[in-house]
Amino acid sequence: MSDNYYNQDSNYGYTNETPTRKKVNFFEIGIIVVSVLGVIITFAIGFNTQAIKNRDEQRFADINNVVIALDNYYLNSSVNPSSRTYPVANCSFDLNEVDFEFTLREQLTGMRLDLDTHAYIKPDDFPKDNWGVYSQNLNQRKLPYRCSQNLSGDSSDSIYKDEYPSCNFSSTAEKRFRQCYIYTSSNNGDTYQIGYYSEVDKQFIVYRKFRETPIEFVR
């Protein structure tokens, strides 16, 4: 009796057997991997979607600032309301990048001293679509330059005398060539159109204004 008693006390109720660990099978590993990948993909999609929205918000803000400058330019263009004009397109009466980056930029930044010396937008602040494809000379361009009368010199020179970059624009090419700010006007300057390519809507956002009437969305 005493031997059995001491044997029980010496083990304190514990056995000498080592507990076995449950093995993780490939199915469980697969579930973990898929779950982690799902979280990563969801985060990446959300991050990319927000980045696209942020780019469009920047474009909207840029165009809105130019619209404000256009209104001020128009009001200062003449003391006679019936003679007031917006900057008149000299490249094309279809929406295009040259009339934005050349015609509009010259007149809204005070570079055209014969028209208006006031800088409605500071030259260094004149906007461009930061996600477009830009070139400083003809040799660098991916797409043809559409208005040769605005060129500063031969193909090795900067397209514009002040070396401002020119956007490679096509309304029908791949997305990166649509990402330009565009402008045009009527031939007498009483109406203008201005726009940008929206990555969210996957189409051009274009606004039109006739004289002092409210600006309207046209596309």
Side-chain angles (χ1 to χ4, degrees), residues 128-141:
K128 64 184 183 71
D129 190 325
N130 293 323
W131 298 274
V133 179
Y134 286 81
S135 306
Q136 283 194 315
N137 59 59
L138 294 180
N139 289 334
Q140 295 175 337
R141 286 188 68 87

Side-chain angles (χ1 to χ4, degrees), residues 23-216:
K23 294 182 178 180
V24 179
N25 59 41
F26 288 110
F27 177 74
E28 292 172 326
I29 294 175
I31 292 176
I32 295 172
V33 171
V34 169
S35 299
V36 172
L37 287 176
V39 171
I40 293 173
I41 292 172
T42 300
F43 175 79
I45 291 174
F47 181 83
N48 185 60
T49 299
Q50 188 58 50
I52 290 173
K53 290 180 179 178
N54 291 343
R55 293 197 291 269
D56 265 15
E57 288 175 1
Q58 182 62 57
R59 294 179 177 111
F60 174 80
D62 286 344
I63 294 300
N64 186 61
N65 287 336
V66 176
V67 165
I68 293 171
L70 281 166
D71 287 341
N72 292 329
Y73 179 96
Y74 177 85
L75 291 175
N76 289 341
S77 63
S78 177
V79 294
N80 183 2
S82 62
S83 300
R84 291 172 180 165
T85 67
Y86 295 105
V88 178
N90 73 0
C91 177
S92 173
F93 293 124
D94 293 323
L95 282 158
N96 67 92
E97 80 286 10
V98 176
D99 277 314
F100 183 90
E101 66 196 16
F102 180 75
T103 306
L104 204 57
R105 184 172 64 92
E106 276 202 334
Q107 297 189 41
L108 293 184
T109 60
M111 296 169 64
R112 283 292 302 273
L113 302 181
D114 56 321
L115 296 176
D116 193 333
T117 60
H118 182 72
Y120 300 93
I121 299 176
K122 293 180 180 179
D124 291 341
D125 294 337
F126 196 81
K128 64 184 183 71
D129 190 325
N130 293 323
W131 298 274
V133 179
Y134 286 81
S135 306
Q136 283 194 315
N137 59 59
L138 294 180
N139 289 334
Q140 295 175 337
R141 286 188 68 87
K142 308 298 182 182
L143 298 175
Y145 186 82
R146 69 181 72 235
C147 295
S148 59
Q149 70 270 23
N150 297 324
L151 297 176
S152 64
D154 61 40
S155 61
S156 62
D157 293 334
S158 296
I159 293 173
Y160 302 123
K161 292 179 180 179
D162 61 352
E163 299 185 348
Y164 189 83
S166 177
C167 194
N168 291 260
F169 175 71
S170 171
S171 61
T172 58
E174 58 186 287
K175 185 181 74 173
R176 65 187 182 128
F177 293 125
R178 301 177 199 172
Q179 294 173 171
C180 297
Y181 294 153
I182 48 180
Y183 176 85
T184 193
S185 74
S186 58
N187 57 8
N188 62 356
D190 65 355
T191 304
Y192 74 80
Q193 294 184 70
I194 193 169
Y196 64 92
Y197 182 76
S198 167
E199 291 185 73
V200 173
D201 298 325
K202 295 182 174 59
Q203 65 175 347
F204 288 95
I205 304 299
V206 178
Y207 302 94
R208 178 174 62 199
K209 189 167 187 180
F210 170 73
R211 294 195 180 279
E212 294 91 349
T213 60
I215 196 167
E216 59 178 327

